[in-house]
Amino acid sequence: MAKHKLIPELTQKEKERRWSLLREQLKKSGLSALIVYGETQLGVPLHYLSQVWGTKMNMLVFPVDSDPVLFIPSNTIRTGRLLVEQGCWLPEENIRLSVNTAVDAAKLIIDRRLHKDRIGIDSFRFWPVYEHQAFTELCPDAQLVEAHRLFGEIRGPKSNEELDLIQKAIRISDLAHYTFLANLKPGLTEEEAANAANEILTAYDIIDRIILIHSRPELVYPGFPGPTIIEKPNPVTFSPEFTRRLGYGAQMIRAYWWEKPKGEFKKMFELWAEMRQMIEQEFRPGVEITAAGKKIQDLVNQWGFECDKLGHAVGLAYGDAPYITAGPNERDHMEWTILTNEVYAVHPMVRGRGGMPPFSMIGDMYFIGKDETTRMTTALSGLPEMIP
């Protein structure tokens, strides 16, 4: 069983790469600082700059021309000294206890004489109104600028250090799937079938996970493992997605079958084979994320099915921005252009027209290279994967 003592895996060189890129981009955009609200996107942006996870009570102020400062709640047991011992990139003197992070961030901006400048914020979408009001009352002349995409375009392309950690997460995912398959048998509940794989994730110090399972052919959406009895010949879809305590995650979804699919199911797995090829061909640097999502949706429609939940980027967390959507009217829509060295999990939930059975779901992770896109999750690649 892994111990919970945090031993940093990223080097100072990686920290300098990130901080330098951010300073360069802020200067190009005419911004004097970036304020990162801790809860933004699962706490990922704050972690990206500090190596500690963000919460809704954290805030980091990153001036272009001086050292960043991290504000944490005054009632927290996570002191500056403890955070530094856990690998925080900020020195202890730059980690400050705060009763009101918005007020203290404003005071820091004033102290650094940036209160009449353009300040980036990541992100208005997550910053509570009352905190925004508290900040602007103290800095009425500061121009706050939404900077989620600006910062996201720095975080999106993965360094070699980051890719190594994503590969580590994929190996954990592989082991969880192999363990699930080895323990899968009729008569177990979904929860019992998932338990051994769940224990694998716990053993590898996974702090955040979602496990979905689908074993009832009449249902068109997976659910959390529960009391449903797994019955042969009903196929079983297994979907663990997770983030390691130190950061970086994985998501691979597989369909496990007792016998070869027939009829509409056979047609679905022919679709999945074409889907894998299409993603490697069409997910390229420079493609708008909604155009990529539309290609997924169109391909599924051409085969006579419909789909939703197309996928998302993967990075420090299993579900990082942007999410893949097919248009601006969808809930998770974000303006985005696919970038070189990004990683995406693509996993449309495919079902019959009108939200009717049959249902199937395959999920893979893809690396967007400069010259080609490659599938990173290659274990148990059968369409479907047969149960021995």
Side-chain angles (χ1 to χ4, degrees), residues 247-323:
Y248 296 92
Q251 182 177 21
M252 182 175 78
I253 304 167
R254 292 294 182 256
Y256 298 111
W257 282 62
W258 311 92
E259 56 189 35
K260 291 184 178 180
K262 301 175 182 178
E264 289 292 280
F265 274 120
K266 181 177 183 295
K267 186 178 172 183
M268 275 188 169
F269 287 108
E270 291 170 355
L271 159 64
W272 286 117
E274 186 173 344
M275 179 83 67
R276 281 176 170 168
Q277 293 179 358
M278 184 275 287
I279 292 165
E280 291 183 345
Q281 294 168 0
E282 302 292 344
F283 273 58
R284 309 291 304 131
V287 173
E288 293 299 314
I289 196 69
T290 50
K294 189 70 163 52
K295 287 182 180 294
I296 293 173
Q297 194 175 79
D298 288 347
L299 179 61
V300 171
N301 290 340
Q302 289 168 17
W303 280 84
F305 305 109
E306 65 181 40
C307 64
D308 63 356
K309 306 293 184 183
L310 307 183
H312 46 77
V314 179
L316 265 167
Y318 59 78
D320 204 350
Y323 280 72

Side-chain angles (χ1 to χ4, degrees), residues 40-41 45 122-123 125-126 146-156 287-293 311-313 320-339 342 344:
T40 302
Q41 194 60 42
D122 187 3
S123 160
R125 180 178 179 182
F126 298 91
E146 174 63 58
H148 186 58
R149 178 162 180 173
L150 177 152
F151 191 21
E153 289 178 353
I154 294 170
R155 296 189 297 104
V287 173
E288 293 299 314
I289 196 69
T290 50
H312 46 77
D320 204 350
Y323 280 72
I324 304 170
T325 62
N329 296 324
E330 297 184 23
R331 177 181 177 182
D332 295 322
H333 168 257
M334 178 179 175
E335 292 184 355
W336 190 266
T337 303
I338 295 175
L339 301 171
E342 282 191 287
Y344 285 92

